[in-house]
Amino acid sequence: MRRASLALVAACVLIAGGARAAEEPVTLNFVNADIEAVAAAIGKMTNRNFVIDPRVRGTINIVSARPVPSTAVYGIFLSALRLQGFTAVESGGVTKILPEADAKLHGGPVGTRGAASGNLLQTQVYTLKYTSAAQLMPVLRPIISPNNTIAVFAGNNSLVITDYGDNLRRIESIIEAVDRPGGGGEPVVVPLRFAAVADVMQTLSRVLPDSVASAPGQAAAMDASARLYVAQDPRTNSIVVRSENPARVEQVRALVRQLDVQTGTAANVHVVYLKNAEATRVAQTLRGILSGEVAPIAPSTPAAGAQPSAAAQPSAAAQPPIAQGAGMVQADSASNALLISAPDAVFAHIRAIIDKLDVRRAQVYVEALIVEMTADKAAEFGVQWQSLPDVTRPSTQGFGGTNFQGTGTGANILEASVNPLSLGTGINVGVVRGQVTIPGIGVVTNLAMLARALETDAKANILSTPNLLTLDNEEARIVIGQNIPLVTGQYAQTGSSTTVTPFQTIERRDVGLTLRVKPQISEGGTVRLQIYQEASAVRDTTLAGVTLDKRAIESTVLIDDGQIIALGGLVQDDVRAGMEKVPLLGDIPLLGYLFRYETRKQTKTNLMVFLRPVVLRDGVAHSNASAERYRQMIGEQRENKPPPHLILPEYPAPELPPLQGD
């Protein structure tokens, strides 16, 4: 202790020149000197006020072999404190000496790039222009003392660092060397002159499968310096490369230059396999572009039940390739591929067009509800009389009566006399008086009076729910009903022999429910629908032919995706009344009902069609729509199982297998 005091006294003598000029050099010699005593001596020489934290304890050693300028004394003192784990923070004209770990909490100067100096603890803000601050932070963290901090502010791509001035100057030099234009992370465009961008991109994905980061999870798992992003721009036939490592970018650029060379022949034959589009149609479009001709308009959609002609169906054989100076295109329907013979520059443009045409087409799922309600009401009432004496007697006799409704209706009194079983349904009340014999007919029932009354009420409520799934701008059709034969002509020939050779021409027609829909999806998400709906049925069959009832709707509408549209609303109300009576007698009030026959019939029909189109743009939406209907059918099958029977054996009902994941 005595030795330290003597050293301190000697130091004080050496620096007693505080009264001397400040520019005169001084000699420092502190050996195992207490920090508080050294701070007092330094403060006296530099005219500084020190506040020492109670946790600051220990001794320091400062030995100068030759005198140093007085302006460097304070910096030497700070360096000695850093070696002991302490530092000084200037605030409000007072210098605080405290542990280094707590110094960043006691304020200090804050500056920007170029303002760091000395051994004081300072905070600097560095705003980067080209390099990502988050990616540079792991590089700078090891050269910053553990007690000091570095943080990233992503809002303006800045680094906030608290450290000593001399270390901040070194960090600033590193940042200036890294933060330069054209460094890592800047996208680089590599244009192609001869090759097609799709072919080169396919080659790069095979050569660099571990470097091309395409998924977010894959990019996060890879090291930042190894990430390589490669994209294609078909419009300019270019490849866009981005990586944090400029060497990786240069590697891809060199590889692309080696691939983008002109081949030896002027017109190569390239085979392009299509994934979504139809090769025949794409080939027709490309031939029109190469030849400068307008493609023919597609034939109109055939009517229901009609088949398109062979000439209207596109085929590779029916459309020979058009050879021009620019190139030639041919379709191979079997493999759905295009064979293109063209120079490399022309093929690059053709391939860019193919990439835009060969995209997954959206589909439209159309849910339809067709409701048809019919109500038939009919009533008839009439009284018929007749007097049939025995006409076999030779005496002069008279006969007479009233008969209404024609034969075959089940309501005529003459027909009932011959065969009482021919009477129709309803109540039939008569007066029978034996039997009489009529020449040419035989023995018939002497039915003197027949009263008939009938009232019917029939109702029908038919609900059809057809569903259609079709590609954009492609027609879909569903027919639910029967295909019946209709006689369109007949001919019978009798030759010299007695054999007759009949001949008939038959036309078959669909009768039932028919729905045709052709959707067209716009860019805004709306759907344009061309709709044809028909509900037909056979009414009756007569000698003249078959009578068909037909109700049809044909329209073109515009509707939003997922919305419901109502069509139809066809309400038909048919009321018919008929009366057959005896003149004069049928007009008598009340008594006239005995001499007339009245019928009334009312038919009311209401047809409504509801459509709901849903646009399916990917496989997930298509799977969800199909799975919903699939589960609905499974539920219907389970509900319609026959109940167990006490005597009859149980047979397993057919049931769809469950979906995967259910």
Side-chain angles (χ1 to χ4, degrees), residues 574-590:
D574 185 7
V575 179
R576 298 184 181 184
M579 178 185 295
E580 298 180 31
K581 63 181 179 179
V582 177
L584 299 179
L585 296 179
D587 297 330
I588 300 175
L590 298 179

Side-chain angles (χ1 to χ4, degrees), residues 200-546:
V200 175
M201 188 66 184
Q202 186 177 8
T203 304
L204 292 178
S205 63
R206 294 178 180 178
V207 175
L208 306 171
D210 299 331
S211 300
V212 179
S214 57
Q218 178 183 358
M222 300 174 61
D223 182 67
S225 61
R227 295 176 190 167
L228 182 64
Y229 300 88
V230 181
Q232 58 178 334
D233 182 23
R235 185 181 64 85
T236 59
N237 197 39
S238 303
I239 291 180
V240 183
V241 187
R242 185 173 68 88
S243 177
E244 302 300 332
N245 189 350
R248 301 287 289 160
V249 176
E250 187 60 31
Q251 179 187 7
V252 176
R253 190 200 299 265
L255 182 58
V256 171
R257 282 198 299 264
Q258 296 176 7
L259 295 176
D260 186 27
V261 294
Q262 190 172 9
T263 57
T265 57
N268 297 318
V269 177
H270 305 270
V271 180
V272 181
Y273 294 94
L274 302 182
K275 298 179 181 179
N276 303 285
E278 186 178 348
T280 305
R281 295 186 177 181
V282 176
Q284 182 180 1
T285 302
L286 294 177
R287 283 195 290 264
I289 295 175
L290 293 176
S291 62
E293 297 179 356
V294 180
I297 300 176
S300 59
T301 304
Q307 299 294 331
S309 62
Q313 297 178 352
S315 63
Q319 298 175 354
I322 302 177
Q324 298 288 337
M328 181 181 66
V329 180
Q330 176 65 35
D332 181 27
S333 302
S335 59
N336 196 37
L338 295 174
L339 282 75
I340 304 174
S341 176
D344 292 339
V346 177
F347 174 72
H349 293 288
I350 295 177
R351 186 57 190 268
I353 298 175
I354 294 175
D355 292 339
K356 294 182 179 180
L357 296 177
D358 187 28
V359 295
R360 182 186 179 97
R361 297 173 60 186
Q363 301 184 87
V364 179
Y365 179 67
V366 181
E367 296 179 338
L369 293 176
I370 303 176
V371 184
E372 183 178 1
M373 294 178 290
T374 304
D376 290 337
K377 294 183 179 181
E380 58 179 291
F381 178 78
V383 179
Q384 303 176 62
W385 305 87
Q386 74 174 351
S387 174
L388 293 176
D390 189 0
V391 297
T392 58
R393 292 183 296 176
S395 59
T396 301
Q397 305 177 46
F399 74 94
T402 61
N403 62 88
F404 306 114
Q405 305 293 305
T407 58
T409 60
N412 187 271
I413 190 172
L414 295 179
E415 190 175 14
S417 299
V418 177
N419 182 13
L421 297 179
S422 64
L423 290 173
T425 57
I427 182 171
N428 298 276
V429 180
V431 176
V432 179
R433 188 171 51 193
Q435 294 180 337
V436 295
T437 301
I438 300 177
I441 297 179
V443 179
V444 299
T445 303
N446 190 359
L447 184 59
M449 188 271 293
L450 175 63
R452 173 175 171 79
L454 174 65
E455 184 175 357
T456 61
D457 189 357
K459 296 181 179 180
N461 188 351
I462 303 173
L463 174 63
S464 302
T465 59
N467 297 316
L468 297 175
L469 179 64
T470 180
L471 287 172
D472 179 24
N473 212 26
E474 296 288 344
E475 183 182 279
R477 183 179 66 166
I478 184 172
V479 178
I480 304 173
Q482 297 177 331
N483 188 267
I484 63 173
L486 299 177
V487 179
T488 58
Q490 58 185 358
Y491 175 75
Q493 179 181 4
T494 303
S496 57
S497 61
T498 58
T499 304
V500 178
T501 305
F503 176 81
Q504 288 183 336
T505 57
I506 302 295
E507 176 188 356
R508 306 196 70 87
R509 182 174 300 179
D510 293 332
V511 175
L513 178 65
T514 301
L515 177 62
R516 293 203 314 266
V517 177
K518 184 178 181 181
Q520 184 178 2
I521 306 173
S522 66
E523 290 295 333
T526 57
V527 182
R528 182 177 182 268
L529 294 177
Q530 296 182 10
I531 305 166
Y532 178 81
Q533 190 275 328
E534 176 184 317
S536 57
V538 179
R539 173 179 289 185
D540 56 13
T541 303
T542 62
L543 295 178
V546 178

Side-chain angles (χ1 to χ4, degrees), residues 11 14-15 26-30 42 45 62-68 72-73 76-77:
L14 292 175
I15 63 175
V26 296
T27 300
L28 301 178
N29 190 6
F30 296 98
I42 298 297
M45 188 180 67
I62 302 176
V63 178
S64 58
R66 53 175 174 249
V68 297
V73 172
I76 295 174
F77 176 59

